[in-house]
Amino acid sequence: MESRTIVITGASDGIGAAAARILKADGAEVVLVGRSPDKTGRLAQELDVPFHLADYTDLDQVRRLAADLDATYSRIDVLANNAGAIMGERTVTTDGFEKTFQVNHLAGFLLTHLLMPKLVASNAAVIQTASRAAKVFSAFDINDLQNEKNYAPQSAYGNAKLANILFTRELHRRFVDQGISAAAFHPGVVASNFASDTTHFMRFAYHTPVLKNLFTISSDKGAAPLVWLATGAPGSDWKRGEYYEKKKPVQSVPQAHDDALAYRLWEASESMLHIAG
């Protein structure tokens, strides 16, 4: 493949690490972003690629990450917003936001916003790792983005994954004419360290050997749609602004296709982050 600079967040493990290995082998200039210094550094050494650290529970670290990426790389051809997690009990970050919403949506939204001039100049693809959890678990309320009412780990996670899809939809509407190609995808139920930080039943499902072997797929298989989107030609190999499962655009919950809701989420996210529209 033609050498392109591909930034992958959540790259120290799971599908992020698997995608990094595949893309590096294909000749891409891969840039890793992870939370763990040890795991991210080891993978960077293995692949002989640069890495950056950021904990998405601290938005100042996201701001520093954006500044470092902007200063270090002349172009960014693909931004893969892959970082995310399901949490346990409801907690609020030092930034004042519910942790699930911040880690899965707000941090990636902020990073994309801060890098937008470079992304536009690079005619970049912005890829969101969403999930079928948006369809299975979400109870999305635009007036309760902080998940203050009837909090449960799975619904907060489902809401955040629906936010990823809505973000993709509105990103496409606002920036496709400036050269940005946006897409979201479901990787499948992947055998990884996902759900290791939660007390939710998903931890049991993902980390019990018998269930793990029955219901999960490998990280390489989970990374396949990310690699496909990152290496494909937008508008030819895949359609911009869509949500994909098994490399096909699919329907999620009706709210995921609500343009007015996508607009309201974008405006609310800007307001929370004190970003001028």
Side-chain angles (χ1 to χ4, degrees), residues 6-260:
I6 300 177
V7 176
I8 306 174
T9 71
S12 62
D13 204 350
I15 68 169
R21 289 187 176 99
I22 296 167
L23 291 164
K24 170 66 175 179
D26 283 347
E29 300 293 331
V30 175
V31 179
L32 308 179
V33 176
R35 179 182 63 173
S36 165
D38 291 339
K39 290 196 296 183
T40 312
R42 282 198 301 270
L43 181 61
Q45 184 175 26
E46 173 196 329
L47 300 181
D48 190 24
V49 299
F51 72 98
H52 301 262
L53 299 174
D55 185 335
Y56 274 18
T57 63
D58 179 355
L59 292 180
D60 279 343
Q61 293 192 35
V62 177
R63 294 181 180 97
R64 288 196 294 271
L65 170 64
D68 289 346
L69 292 172
D70 187 48
T72 305
Y73 307 101
S74 61
R75 61 181 297 112
I76 296 174
D77 297 282
V78 178
L79 173 62
N81 284 318
N82 172 65
I86 185 171
M87 310 302 174
E89 294 182 1
R90 185 182 185 276
T91 59
V92 176
T93 69
T94 56
D95 299 291
F97 303 115
E98 190 274 315
K99 190 175 179 181
T100 312
F101 181 68
Q102 177 168 321
V103 169
N104 289 278
H105 169 67
L106 273 184
F109 182 97
L110 177 60
L111 180 64
T112 305
H113 165 76
L114 293 172
L115 290 175
M116 190 57 72
K118 180 148 289 179
L119 295 172
V120 168
S122 305
N123 290 317
V126 179
I127 301 168
Q128 297 288 128
T129 302
S131 173
R132 195 177 293 167
K135 189 170 186 178
V136 177
F137 296 126
S138 67
F140 194 86
D141 182 352
I142 191 64
N143 297 311
D144 185 30
L145 294 175
Q146 302 288 351
N147 298 305
E148 294 179 294
K149 302 175 186 175
N150 303 315
Y151 176 86
Q154 72 274 17
S155 59
Y157 180 70
N159 291 342
K161 294 294 101 179
L162 178 54
N164 293 159
I165 299 172
L166 290 168
F167 168 58
T168 297
R169 192 173 188 88
E170 185 66 6
L171 180 66
H172 168 74
R173 188 188 72 81
R174 290 179 183 237
F175 289 98
V176 66
D177 290 342
Q178 298 183 50
I180 295 295
S181 300
F185 75 97
H186 171 57
V189 182
V190 180
S192 69
N193 284 329
F194 179 78
S196 59
D197 294 331
T198 185
T199 55
H200 188 256
F201 72 83
M202 283 187 182
R203 181 187 180 106
F204 177 74
Y206 273 84
H207 298 285
T208 300
V210 173
L211 293 177
K212 188 173 181 178
N213 291 335
L214 282 175
F215 298 113
T216 63
I217 61 174
S218 70
S219 293
D220 282 353
K221 288 184 178 178
L226 193 162
V227 172
W228 172 67
L229 290 166
T231 58
S236 177
D237 295 326
W238 51 269
K239 185 178 178 181
R240 299 175 178 91
E242 296 291 333
Y243 164 66
Y244 286 85
E245 292 183 12
K246 297 180 179 180
K247 301 181 182 179
K248 295 181 179 179
V250 297
Q251 300 290 309
S252 185
V253 289
Q255 285 177 305
H257 311 281
D258 185 334
D259 290 336

